[in-house]
Amino acid sequence: MASKSNSTFSVLGSDLAIKGDIKASADLHIDGSIEGDIACTSLVQGETSKVTGAVQAETARLAGTVEGSITARELVILKTAKITGDVFYDALTIEQGAQVEGRFAHRDPKRSAQPAAKAQGEGKPELQLAN
């Protein structure tokens, strides 16, 4: 059986309810209920899934309910998604019918790196507002 050693995919079925944070170096498919923060490379959320907590992923495809902030480089919000929380993204796709209550903020890695370096050098904290 030929397979890549780095290629892993984890599935949390609809019968699972987890309380606690999840950190995965693999791709993650969630159909169950999660109460905690999620950090992974790639997240696929099923329609029946509910996540209560922050989501951080390189790519995310959301179809269920999320109550918490979302940070993703590439984010797809499907028409069945219901999101309550702020969304930070590099690339964003939203299907017609998706429900989102919160702010959208485009992340600019070049701009966000400079104020952090400047703040460290001067010793003064800076507040940045998203446009």
Side-chain angles (χ1 to χ4, degrees), residues 114-131:
Q114 290 173 349
K118 189 188 267 187
Q120 286 176 350
E122 295 174 8
K124 288 197 284 184
E126 257 185 58
L127 177 62
Q128 286 242 314
L129 299 177
N131 293 334

Side-chain angles (χ1 to χ4, degrees), residues 30-87:
I30 297 174
D31 284 322
S33 175
I34 310 296
E35 194 175 313
D37 297 342
I38 298 172
C40 62
T41 305
S42 178
L43 175 66
V44 176
Q45 181 194 34
E47 289 182 27
T48 60
S49 173
K50 180 174 181 179
V51 175
T52 305
V55 173
Q56 189 168 11
E58 283 293 309
T59 62
R61 185 174 182 87
L62 308 176
T65 301
V66 177
E67 293 177 4
S69 66
I70 299 166
T71 304
R73 189 172 48 79
E74 293 179 30
L75 178 61
V76 177
I77 302 173
L78 301 176
K79 64 183 174 185
T80 56
K82 294 178 183 155
I83 296 170
T84 305
D86 294 341
V87 178

Side-chain angles (χ1 to χ4, degrees), residues 94-107:
I94 304 175
E95 284 188 351
Q96 184 175 351
Q99 298 175 20
V100 181
E101 286 201 30
R103 295 181 316 138
F104 286 96
H106 183 263
R107 299 185 321 161

